[in-house]
Amino acid sequence: MNNIPELFWHATQNEIKQGYLYNEDADEFTCLICGENIQNGIIYPENNILYEAKKYIEIHIAKYHHSSFHFLLNLDKKLTGLTDHQKLILELFYEGNSDNDVAKVLETGSTSTIRNHRFSLREKQKQAKIFLAIMELLGEQTPKKQSFIDIPRNAKQVDERFAITEQENESILNSYFKQGLNGPLDSFPLKEKKRVAILRHILKKFTANQRYTEKEVNAILKPLYEDYVLLRRLLIDYGFMARTQDGSSYWLTL
């Protein structure tokens, strides 16, 4: 339940609530839960009824994921911050149960206990809003000179590989891009810190918030290094890029 496509983490709050987003460049709707792509302009059949793409992605979410609410609610506690008891109460609220109904299901015998739960959850919502505002303001702050290389959101392991100063980064790039920073690479190092610096530099060849086919990714990487497949794989492994499950679409994660 926690195998979430990387695209999910770049979606807006409204997109997460509806469970899908619309990619204008590809002209398709993408399920944020499983990565399924629904091409716009195509008519999709379901139970002998034909649906346009936008309606069909909604049907897809209801059919395979119940709802965005239930998907989010059933994520691991480390992602939601909710206990199993809180999840059960929220699900009962979502289904339209009154405080009295919830009290009966939980066998608490007291609606005041349920009202206290509602109050606690509203307080949690307020805290979340404030925290989001803080993080957005932090992101808008003009950064000072960076001491370390940016760490991708979905990096599988955050360690000394990413602790690269600007001076180290410049030295590594000059050593391996001897014909200039536009490439090609003279060789590709085995040491992970050097690989991270090179891969981070290669990302400049791609555009943020743009999706690429595997063929397009290969076309960008081929002039840089003969083993472009290795570069493509490492961009994914180190968390700098993500892709759909079928490998039909790639995008930057930073």
Side-chain angles (χ1 to χ4, degrees):
M1 185 59 72
N2 295 323
N3 187 23
I4 306 173
E6 178 61 23
L7 197 62
F8 176 93
W9 299 111
H10 296 274
T12 66
Q13 193 74 1
N14 283 334
E15 288 169 340
I16 290 174
K17 284 166 58 180
Q18 68 187 12
Y20 67 90
L21 57 77
Y22 172 66
N23 185 322
E24 187 173 353
D25 292 333
D27 195 20
E28 64 185 11
F29 296 91
T30 300
C31 175
L32 291 173
I33 301 173
C34 68
E36 180 75 16
N37 293 318
I38 305 298
Q39 188 67 44
N40 198 23
I42 296 177
I43 302 300
Y44 296 86
E46 180 69 25
N47 293 330
N48 297 319
I49 300 176
L50 301 178
Y51 295 96
E52 293 183 345
K54 185 176 182 180
K55 181 62 179 177
Y56 188 72
I57 190 68
E58 296 171 356
I59 293 172
H60 163 86
I61 290 171
K63 181 178 179 180
Y64 293 102
H65 311 298
H66 194 178
S67 70
S68 296
F69 174 86
H70 288 91
F71 166 74
L72 295 170
L73 189 66
N74 285 288
L75 290 172
D76 192 272
K77 181 182 178 181
K78 68 180 182 180
L79 295 177
T80 65
L82 297 169
T83 65
D84 290 340
H85 188 64
Q86 288 173 321
K87 289 181 179 182
L88 177 57
I89 292 173
L90 284 167
E91 186 168 17
L92 291 169
F93 287 158
Y94 186 77
E95 292 171 353
N97 292 284
S98 66
D99 290 353
N100 188 49
D101 293 333
V102 175
K104 289 179 180 178
V105 172
L106 299 180
E107 299 180 347
T108 63
S110 172
T111 56
S112 63
T113 301
I114 304 306
R115 284 196 292 271
N116 286 335
H117 280 300
R118 282 190 185 272
F119 176 79
S120 297
L121 290 168
R122 290 195 185 102
E123 289 300 300
K124 195 177 185 71
Q125 180 185 26
K126 292 177 183 177
Q127 292 169 354
K129 286 184 176 180
I130 292 173
F131 180 72
L132 283 174
I134 290 171
M135 293 306 294
E136 287 180 6
L137 289 168
L138 177 63
E140 293 168 4
Q141 180 71 9
T142 302
K144 296 179 180 179
K145 188 175 182 180
Q146 295 290 331
S147 296
F148 299 94
I149 201 164
D150 290 336
I151 299 173
R153 186 196 300 268
N154 67 334
K156 297 176 182 178
Q157 184 180 5
V158 178
D159 51 33
E160 68 278 0
R161 294 177 302 172
F162 296 98
I164 305 173
T165 65
E166 290 184 353
Q167 292 77 13
E168 286 179 307
N169 189 62
E170 182 178 355
S171 176
I172 291 169
L173 296 182
N174 288 335
S175 295
Y176 287 90
F177 288 95
K178 293 181 179 178
Q179 298 182 50
L181 294 182
N182 288 326
L185 279 163
D186 283 28
S187 61
F188 195 69
L190 293 176
K191 189 173 181 179
E192 290 199 278
K193 179 177 285 192
K194 294 180 178 180
R195 286 188 167 194
V196 169
I198 291 169
L199 293 171
R200 186 68 178 82
H201 176 71
I202 288 174
L203 293 184
K204 296 177 182 179
K205 300 289 184 179
F206 298 88
T207 302
N209 302 317
Q210 181 174 329
R211 300 184 77 173
Y212 297 86
T213 64
E214 186 171 289
K215 184 177 180 180
E216 289 171 333
V217 173
N218 290 342
I220 292 172
L221 297 179
K222 277 183 180 180
L224 297 176
Y225 191 57
E226 57 183 4
D227 193 355
Y228 61 90
V229 175
L230 173 64
L231 295 181
R232 190 186 70 217
R233 176 173 60 79
L234 291 178
L235 285 170
I236 298 294
D237 288 348
Y238 281 87
F240 291 117
M241 294 190 80
R243 64 180 179 183
T244 55
Q245 291 180 342
D246 61 3
S248 62
S249 185
Y250 291 71
W251 60 91
L252 297 182
T253 61
L254 288 176

